[in-house]
Amino acid sequence: MAKVVVIKFNGGCKPYYFSAGGLKLAQGDGVIVETSRGLEYATVVCPEKEVDDRELVSPLKPVVRAATEKDEETVRRNAERRKEAMKICREKIEKHKLDMKLVYCEFSFDGGKLLFYFTSDNRVDFRDLVKDLAAVFHTRIELRQVGIRDEARLLGGIAPCGRECCCAGSMSDFKKVSIKMAKNQGLSLNPGKISGLCGRLMCCLAYENEYYAEAYKKMPKTGSTVGTPEGKGVVVSSNMLKMEVRVKIEKDGALVYRDFPVTALNFKKGGAESASDDESDKILQD
């Protein structure tokens, strides 16, 4: 086990491990670290943590220094310049009539590079755009094409649940999400109800999928016939948290609805999945 300091960049979610280098740091402190892009500013989220050596990339780089007031001012100045840089870049994109949507931009800590993120359905030849931007900002320009899920992560926003988008607030990496996860949880398969701000399936569908996948195997399918203590009936709905099933039973010419624990029912477990799963999954993910 190795002791590390955990940091995050630009308010992101992904944690990175560095050696404290003998510095006394506290949660929320700004620090300067060496990265592949040069010196960068980051924020301490955990000043000391023990991590398995297998999770580390050797050699472990040390924190260069704690951020000074001058460093903090540099970060604020770079943030203030971002709005103007976005405006100028949009004007240049319109001038060159490029099929691309500008999403976000950021200056490197030392101001030696300006990185623009954009989305596009097609491959974009932006060589002339880079020349124009370099002439305006007099620094190295880099344009990076990202996907629609990355756009949601960069911009952030409030999800249908009322909380910040998972990708922007708590997820370090994107997880694969499928329509089968929604089916396991008994959710509506209406794309508008199970899609996030990015238009893709909501990332949170994967959070409790392991439990629901196991519970789903133990439940009778909606519409199937089951045996109950009160006779045969048809499954109307299932509650996988309570492991209960609502059954419609015909009694004396009238329909009666009863809730039974799944252990009290007789039914054939398992069954073939819908042949349209893969097709529906593709429609929602594309």
Side-chain angles (χ1 to χ4, degrees):
M1 301 290 283
K3 289 186 177 180
V4 301
V5 55
V6 186
I7 67 168
K8 292 184 180 180
F9 294 97
N10 300 325
C13 307
K14 188 170 184 177
Y16 292 88
Y17 301 140
F18 281 79
S19 166
L23 298 173
K24 293 184 178 180
L25 302 170
Q27 183 176 354
D29 284 354
V31 291
I32 306 301
V33 295
E34 180 71 39
T35 71
S36 59
R37 301 195 302 181
L39 293 179
E40 290 289 348
Y41 176 90
T43 304
V44 175
V45 293
C46 183
E48 187 175 337
K49 180 180 179 180
E50 287 193 347
V51 178
D52 193 303
D53 293 334
R54 290 172 294 183
E55 296 183 33
L56 302 176
V57 178
S58 299
L60 189 64
K61 291 186 177 181
V63 172
V64 175
R65 65 174 186 273
T68 63
E69 289 186 8
K70 184 177 179 180
D71 294 329
E72 299 285 355
E73 178 59 30
T74 298
V75 173
R76 285 193 293 270
R77 188 168 61 252
N78 287 340
E80 291 170 357
R81 296 170 63 193
R82 184 182 300 128
K83 185 177 180 179
E84 182 65 19
M86 292 282 287
K87 178 183 176 182
I88 293 173
C89 187
R90 287 195 178 99
E91 292 173 351
K92 298 297 183 182
I93 290 172
E94 186 175 347
K95 172 187 171 183
H96 291 284
K97 298 180 180 179
L98 297 174
D99 180 21
M100 57 192 290
K101 176 186 174 184
L102 185 63
V103 174
Y104 188 76
C105 80
E106 60 180 353
F107 287 86
S108 61
F109 173 72
D110 59 5
K113 183 170 72 172
L114 177 54
L115 176 59
F116 292 96
Y117 298 90
F118 71 94
T119 60
S120 178
D121 294 331
N122 306 301
R123 190 179 181 88
V124 181
D125 183 358
F126 46 70
R127 288 174 292 183
D128 291 336
L129 174 62
V130 171
K131 292 177 183 178
D132 280 2
L133 293 173
V136 173
F137 295 104
H138 305 289
T139 189
R140 180 185 171 191
I141 303 295
E142 182 177 333
L143 273 78
R144 185 174 299 172
Q145 186 170 353
V146 297
I148 193 168
R149 297 180 82 189
D150 295 291
E151 177 183 3
R153 165 176 278 180
L154 289 168
L155 297 180
I158 303 300
C161 63
R163 296 173 61 90
E164 183 181 17
C165 290
C166 296
C167 59
S170 58
M171 285 178 57
S172 58
D173 292 297
F174 288 116
K175 296 181 180 179
K176 183 179 179 181
V177 187
S178 69
I179 193 69
K180 186 176 180 182
M181 293 179 179
K183 292 187 69 176
N184 287 345
Q185 297 176 42
L187 300 176
S188 166
L189 299 186
N190 183 338
K193 294 184 178 181
I194 56 175
S195 299
L197 299 184
C198 61
R200 302 295 189 264
L201 292 171
M202 292 189 293
C203 297
C204 58
L205 290 175
Y207 289 173
E208 298 175 344
N209 182 63
E210 186 176 350
Y211 167 80
Y212 280 105
E214 288 302 313
Y216 183 78
K217 297 176 184 177
K218 302 174 183 177
M219 306 293 282
K221 295 185 181 298
T222 301
S224 63
T225 301
V226 296
T228 76
E230 299 182 24
K232 287 188 176 182
V234 177
V235 176
V236 176
S237 63
S238 302
N239 186 327
M240 284 181 276
L241 292 178
K242 292 183 177 181
M243 294 302 287
E244 288 183 350
V245 178
R246 176 158 292 185
V247 181
K248 178 175 64 177
I249 305 172
E250 186 174 350
K251 275 190 173 184
D252 301 325
L255 294 177
V256 180
Y257 292 84
R258 293 282 190 269
D259 292 333
F260 297 96
V262 69
T263 53
L265 302 178
N266 294 319
F267 61 95
K268 183 179 179 181
K269 292 186 173 65
E273 293 292 339
S274 170
S276 62
D277 276 358
D278 293 338
E279 183 179 350
S280 300
D281 205 10
K282 187 176 187 302
I283 291 173
L284 287 171
Q285 292 284 20
D286 288 346

